[in-house]
Amino acid sequence: MRSTGTDVDAGASAGADARRRRTVGDAVRLALRALVYAVVGGAALVAVATVVSVLGPVVALDLYTPAVAAWWTVFTAVVVQGVPFLLLGTVVSAAIAAFVPDRVFSRLLPRSPVLAVPVAGAAGVVLPGCECASVPVAGSLIRRGVAPAAALAFLLSAPAINPVVLVATSIAFPGQPAMVAARLVASLAAAVVMGWLWARFGRDEWLRPPERPATGEVAYGLGGFLAGLRHDFLHAGGFLVLGAGAAATFNIAVPRSVLDVFTGSAWLSVLLLAVLAVVLCVCSEADAFVAASLSGFSPTARLAFMVVGPMVDLKLIALQAGTFGRAFAVRFAPVTWVVAVASSALVGWWLL
């Protein structure tokens, strides 16, 4: 009898070891598959944009339409610039959905939306990405039960106050620490104000909560991560391309001579650069260098360009419409623009 019991125990132990080996093997295969999806997907989108950028000018020259060549150049620049950070955002979004329990967010954020908004806004400093990355991450936070007002504050602050952006700003404006401080204060203030405005006036029917695609039995772990990564990257990537096309169209449609009309007025220059920030769709990691090159404009106007751009631009509006619905985007984007401009003007008058 003892021998039989020993054999049974040994068989059970061997079966458990086999199951553990299968589990480890499945985990390794899923991890490798996730890596392949991320690398190949991003490389494919960059490759397509690169090929288009090469063929586009050639076709334009054949058709004797230089404007088309300029359109392709701007379009490719926006897409290639945004893809790496979009990929980063979708990876973070999928990881949050697959590996972070709901209780984590309830413990980190205060229960009151009024208090949760500034905490979430300040938390934007931990994500080294641009506005392309913040949209899918904010969508994932809302899916996991975070108050929309807090998630939206994070969406607006993350592209503008993370360390990469602040370091880039300090390099673009050497010897001007006030510009870095002004960008941090104005961006965070605008994000928090927008979060509070949504908490007070926002309606549930305006915001379409992003839905996690059906994944069968695998909703968490590496399987859920893979499903979320595929869904978010392909979904958000399409709207990134749409927004890039709109940005390229408006970019070549506005003549440069129009800029000279506004540089003489301090307030008009602020409004002009705030509008250009929406149209040009410059990534938040690079917009400081564009702003620094606009030496004919006042410091406050250049600050407005850097504050508005990461919060409201054409590709971001398209991403928001695709993620949260058109009813949300048509309300949220204009109000955000007004708040960002007002915040830039006040902080610029105070610090610059």
Side-chain angles (χ1 to χ4, degrees), residues 61-295:
L61 291 176
D62 291 340
L63 297 176
Y64 300 100
T65 53
V68 176
W71 188 95
W72 281 114
T73 301
V74 176
F75 171 81
T76 305
V78 173
V79 172
V80 173
Q81 191 179 56
V83 164
F85 300 101
L86 177 64
L87 180 59
L88 171 65
T90 53
V91 169
V92 174
S93 171
I96 289 174
F99 301 116
V100 180
D102 295 342
R103 62 180 179 274
V104 172
F105 303 110
S106 60
R107 291 178 179 177
L108 292 178
L109 293 176
R111 293 183 179 274
S112 171
V114 176
L115 298 178
V117 164
V119 173
V125 74
V126 304
L127 179 63
C130 73
E131 58 272 20
C132 298
S134 65
V135 173
V137 173
S140 180
L141 293 175
I142 294 176
R143 278 197 299 264
R144 307 310 296 271
V146 173
L152 295 176
F154 177 86
L155 182 152
L156 296 177
S157 68
I161 67 172
N162 70 73
V164 176
V165 169
L166 296 180
V167 170
T169 305
S170 67
I171 295 174
F173 293 91
Q176 301 182 50
M179 183 64 79
V180 181
R183 180 170 194 176
L184 172 63
V185 173
S187 299
L188 182 58
V192 172
V193 168
M194 283 303 302
W196 282 337
L197 287 176
W198 184 267
R200 175 64 180 84
F201 300 105
R203 298 180 182 178
D204 293 339
E205 59 267 25
W206 292 348
L207 179 64
R208 182 189 67 200
E211 298 179 357
R212 173 62 59 199
T215 58
E217 297 180 356
V218 184
Y220 299 98
L222 289 175
F225 172 76
L226 285 176
L229 179 61
R230 290 195 300 267
H231 175 270
D232 288 346
F233 183 78
L234 294 176
H235 185 69
F239 286 95
L240 170 62
V241 172
L242 178 63
T249 301
F250 281 98
N251 191 283
I252 65 172
V254 178
R256 294 290 180 182
S257 58
V258 175
L259 301 179
D260 299 332
V261 177
F262 294 90
T263 53
S265 171
W267 292 108
L268 288 179
S269 64
V270 170
L271 295 178
L272 175 62
L273 289 194
V275 172
L276 285 180
V278 176
V279 173
L280 294 180
C281 296
V282 183
C283 181
S284 61
E285 269 76 11
D287 62 357
F289 299 97
V290 177
S293 68
L294 301 173
S295 56

